[in-house]
Amino acid sequence: MATTSSWFDRHACDARLAHLFHEAQDAIYIYPLDEHGYPGKVEDVNETACQKLGYTREELLQCTMLDIVDKSMHRRVEEWYAALRGGQAVTFESLHQPKSGPPIPFEVSMRAVEFGALRYVMSICRDITERKCYERRLYVQANFEANTGFPNECWIRRHADRLASSLKEGEMLLLIAASIENYYVISDSYGSEIAQRVMFKTLRRIQLEVPNAWIGQTDRDEMLMVLPVCEQHLSAQSLHTVRNILNRAMVADHGLLRLRGHLGVHEATRKWLKENGSAEAVEAAFIALHAAEKANTLEEHYYTPQIADAVRDRQRLYSEFLDALEHEKLKLVYQPLFAADNRLFGAEALLRWPIADGFIPPDVFIPMAEQTGTIHLVGEYVLRHACAEFSAWLKRWPGYDFKLMVNMSVHELGRDGVVERMVDILRRTDVSPECLKVEVTETVMLDRWRHLPVLSRLKDLGMHIAIDDFGTGYSSLQYLQDIAPHVVKIDKSFISGSARSPSTHKLPSDSSILPDPAQVSNPQIVASLIQLAKCLHIQTVAEGVETEQQLEWLKQQGCDGFQGYLLGRPVEASTFFRVHAAAALDDLALG
């Protein structure tokens, strides 16, 4: 670039300074200030400025900085030049409009210098496009969920605070926390990509159908919606829309998904927010959500102090459960299984959580583990400890045909690597796969395409498959044929769930069914299940056998095995071995 008519030549400046000006990697503009302290036309500009904005030097010399600065920044010009008139050096971020394309971000440093009677400004402008892109990436990572692109919980919480502070008289803040029931099961069964797609579609539907709501996703795969409402019916209308969306079917790659959702709601008035704050309002919505999840209802739960106490108790219990699991405070007990010839042929491993004054029942902590996605940790804990104790029994009863039965949640079956982890535990404890019976419930058929191959692999390794609680879920001939189990366990509700008096039950005409079947809750169903299993060459085990009459009647029906308090209560490993050792050794001697 020729410099004969440059500002530096006209003011007889040092040539080295002119060289630095023209060779600089930053865009530099020199222009005078008028008598009011506002910028005049540019008197000199370097080549970098021309390249950045796409103008020639001659074109830029016809502009003022107001022409170069993007119009969106004009409102701040007075602020910048007021500071400059006060004798300060000024540094700020600005947008410059190129000849074509979007505005370019620059970091601008300005300083005024005196030359005779005139004041000039040198503006050094550094292109910060890359820095802004990096900052944007950091902002997105910090404020938006990577998989769905929706705001995260932190962003929504901040926005809730802004909305709370700007509520008008008569308005309230409606906060809705929502979850998709067993969302992690969708992830385990179909893969995380499908699950995230389901989450995105759900969020998008809510965004479109409740346009005045601010909606985001938590890292717990829950949803949080915040919107100001002025009338109660508008709140009810928004809730109705969200509830319908959460319980709407959705087409996925592997077919139709029927979703169920849970809702927790808090309607925070201006007075409530002033006393408690927006953060407490968000917590209230989540507390109500956790109450709805526990109740397993499709109806929304509204926050109340009583609900808060119950949820906090449950959260405390869950923390204590995780501590018990981590520090191996959970205990295994074993309930014996006997054949029709009274021979002990197996033991079912059952988990107990001991506390100071007794036990917390499994129907409390197992659903909690399933809902929180930690059930696979429980399953591995049971298998590891049960196999270790079972291995000790086998060494003392060599050659005895004895099976260990363990329960496996459908959620465990859906996890990658489940077979490999089971094989590793069996290898480490020196237990043969042929000694293990894996009990699953009929719910495996809800996702047969994923679960049946896993069951087939277990059977190929030599493990036996048992259907637990048979008859209470999705029983059908097709399911039995698909799973092809070795054993079906008839649920105890059919055996002793509601035993009736003999006087109220009319005996069937076949007098060979003795003794009195009135001791069995549902004799016709039980007899049919036993005969069905026999036709399919599947063994049957009756659970919940509590009386001699039940036992004898089941034997006459051809039931193969029995389990219940009549035959033995669940006991710890040492007690189990002591009680049943003699019988096992006698069987070995006879066999």
Side-chain angles (χ1 to χ4, degrees):
M1 176 186 293
T3 60
T4 53
S5 60
S6 74
W7 184 88
F8 293 91
D9 290 338
R10 293 195 301 273
H11 291 84
C13 293
D14 191 317
R16 290 172 298 179
L17 184 60
H19 177 77
L20 290 174
F21 170 80
H22 290 294
E23 298 300 323
Q25 296 300 305
D26 295 329
I28 305 178
Y29 304 85
I30 298 176
Y31 50 90
L33 293 176
D34 64 18
E35 64 272 18
H36 303 294
Y38 285 99
K41 283 187 178 181
V42 174
E43 290 196 6
D44 210 347
V45 60
N46 68 354
E47 182 65 21
T48 299
C50 298
Q51 292 174 355
K52 291 288 183 183
L53 298 186
Y55 289 103
T56 64
R57 182 171 184 270
E58 288 70 25
E59 288 173 324
L60 287 177
L61 293 180
Q62 297 303 310
C63 299
T64 70
M65 288 307 294
L66 286 177
D67 300 321
I68 294 169
V69 172
D70 187 73
K71 290 181 179 179
S72 64
M73 308 298 295
H74 282 188
R75 64 186 183 279
R76 299 195 55 196
V77 169
E78 175 60 32
E79 173 190 335
W80 300 335
Y81 285 97
L84 200 63
R85 290 193 294 271
Q88 302 177 34
V90 183
T91 300
F92 54 90
E93 291 183 4
S94 181
L95 293 173
H96 290 182
Q97 181 60 57
K99 195 170 186 179
S100 62
I104 300 171
F106 285 90
E107 182 181 74
V108 180
S109 296
M110 296 194 309
R111 179 180 289 276
V113 292
E114 302 283 347
F115 273 91
L118 294 176
R119 298 183 72 201
Y120 284 89
V121 175
M122 181 176 288
S123 290
I124 302 174
C125 306
R126 175 162 296 175
D127 187 341
I128 56 173
T129 301
E130 288 188 11
R131 188 173 86 191
K132 284 298 178 182
C133 288
Y134 179 69
E135 289 175 356
R136 176 62 183 170
R137 287 196 298 271
L138 290 180
Y139 177 80
V140 169
Q141 289 173 7
N143 293 279
F144 296 85
E145 286 297 318
N147 293 307
T148 63
F150 275 84
N152 62 18
E153 184 177 350
C154 291
W155 192 95
I156 289 292
R157 282 177 178 271
R158 289 198 301 273
H159 196 70
D161 191 53
R162 290 192 290 269
L163 289 173
S165 62
S166 61
L167 280 181
K168 299 175 183 176
E169 188 66 36
E171 285 187 330
M172 64 180 175
L173 199 62
L174 175 63
L175 300 103
I176 307 172
S179 65
I180 298 172
E181 184 178 74
N182 290 333
Y183 177 79
Y184 72 95
V185 178
I186 298 175
S187 181
D188 286 346
S189 300
Y190 296 97
S192 59
E193 184 177 344
I194 296 294
Q196 289 295 342
R197 198 177 306 165
V198 168
M199 177 64 72
F200 172 79
K201 287 183 177 180
T202 303
L203 290 165
R204 183 61 176 153
R205 285 174 174 178
I206 296 172
Q207 187 182 55
L208 292 173
E209 296 187 34
V210 192
N212 57 332
W214 297 90
I215 180 169
Q217 177 187 357
T218 75
D219 56 7
R220 302 177 301 280
D221 291 316
E222 298 165 332
M223 292 164 271
L224 178 62
M225 288 147 272
V226 183
L227 63 156
V229 291
C230 56
E231 296 182 21
Q232 192 71 37
H233 79 275
L234 295 176
S235 174
Q237 182 179 334
S238 298
L239 279 171
H240 178 75
T241 302
V242 173
R243 183 171 62 247
N244 286 344
I245 291 171
L246 286 175
N247 293 283
R248 192 181 298 172
M250 185 177 293
V251 177
D253 291 359
H254 301 286
L256 194 67
L257 283 177
R258 172 62 67 179
L259 302 182
R260 274 170 52 93
H262 301 295
L263 289 173
V265 184
H266 183 46
E267 295 174 330
T269 63
R270 289 182 71 191
K271 181 176 183 296
W272 193 97
L273 288 165
K274 185 175 181 180
E275 293 173 354
N276 299 278
S278 64
E280 284 297 313
V282 171
E283 291 305 319
F286 280 119
I287 286 171
L289 170 63
H290 298 153
E293 290 173 339
K294 186 176 186 299
N296 196 27
T297 175
L298 297 181
E299 295 300 319
E300 58 269 13
H301 272 54
Y302 285 80
Y303 171 81
T304 65
Q306 293 76 17
I307 281 181
D309 291 340
V311 169
R312 290 189 183 101
D313 287 343
R314 186 166 179 263
Q315 290 174 334
R316 175 188 53 77
L317 187 66
Y318 178 60
S319 297
E320 291 175 358
F321 172 71
L322 290 181
D323 180 75
L325 184 63
E326 180 182 353
H327 294 93
E328 303 200 345
K329 298 175 183 178
L330 304 176
K331 302 296 181 185
L332 285 180
V333 293
Y334 300 86
Q335 188 169 27
L337 291 90
F338 288 90
D341 60 2
N342 300 324
R343 180 181 60 85
L344 176 72
F345 74 87
E348 181 178 1
L350 302 167
L351 192 61
R352 297 290 184 265
W353 181 5
I355 54 176
D357 54 351
F359 291 90
I360 295 177
D363 58 5
V364 171
F365 64 84
I366 292 298
M368 188 165 55
E370 290 181 334
Q371 291 169 5
T372 55
T374 54
I375 189 64
H376 67 286
L377 300 176
V378 176
E380 290 180 19
Y381 180 95
V382 170
L383 185 62
R384 186 172 67 253
H385 285 266
C387 285
E389 292 174 331
F390 185 74
S391 179
W393 295 344
L394 292 180
K395 290 173 183 176
R396 301 175 73 173
W397 299 341
Y400 190 63
D401 186 13
F402 187 69
K403 305 293 185 186
L404 172 65
M405 305 189 79
V406 295
N407 292 278
M408 177 172 282
S409 166
V410 66
H411 310 308
E412 296 177 74
L413 280 177
R415 291 185 66 85
D416 292 336
V418 59
V419 176
E420 289 74 17
R421 286 191 292 273
M422 292 179 69
V423 169
D424 182 61
I425 290 173
L426 291 173
R427 180 183 58 80
R428 290 173 180 271
T429 54
D430 195 24
V431 173
S432 170
E434 288 79 7
C435 295
L436 192 65
K437 283 189 178 180
V438 178
E439 295 189 21
V440 297
T441 63
E442 295 161 333
T443 53
V444 297
M445 297 311 297
L446 289 175
D447 192 9
R448 70 179 76 184
W449 72 270
R450 187 174 181 86
H451 296 147
L452 290 182
V454 178
L455 295 177
S456 295
R457 289 184 63 192
L458 296 179
K459 287 193 287 187
D460 290 342
L461 290 168
M463 300 180 206
H464 285 204
I465 303 300
I467 302 296
D468 198 13
D469 303 333
F470 185 69
T472 61
Y474 302 85
S475 306
S476 76
L477 281 172
Q478 183 62 50
Y479 291 171
L480 284 178
Q481 289 176 335
D482 289 344
I483 299 175
H486 301 86
V487 179
V488 293
K489 298 183 74 177
I490 301 172
D491 188 67
K492 62 184 179 181
S493 63
F494 294 120
I495 308 299
S496 56
S498 55
R500 296 165 292 182
S501 167
S503 62
T504 63
H505 180 81
K506 184 177 179 180
L507 285 172
S509 58
D510 184 356
S511 60
S512 66
I513 303 180
L514 295 172
D516 192 343
Q519 291 293 322
V520 176
S521 301
N522 296 278
Q524 290 90 350
I525 293 177
V526 172
S528 299
L529 293 177
I530 292 172
Q531 292 306 312
L532 172 63
K534 282 188 175 299
C535 291
L536 297 173
H537 306 290
I538 299 172
Q539 291 183 326
T540 52
V541 171
E543 299 179 300
V545 179
E546 297 179 355
T547 69
E548 291 285 355
Q549 291 87 348
Q550 291 171 349
L551 177 62
E552 292 305 316
W553 185 84
L554 288 164
K555 284 182 178 180
Q556 291 209 6
Q557 299 309 303
C559 190
D560 301 296
F562 314 93
Q563 183 179 1
Y565 284 177
L566 173 68
L567 304 165
R569 290 177 175 270
V571 293
E572 292 187 7
S574 58
T575 304
F576 186 95
F577 181 82
R578 185 178 68 253
V579 169
H580 299 289
L585 293 174
D586 287 344
D587 288 337
L588 276 173
L590 292 173

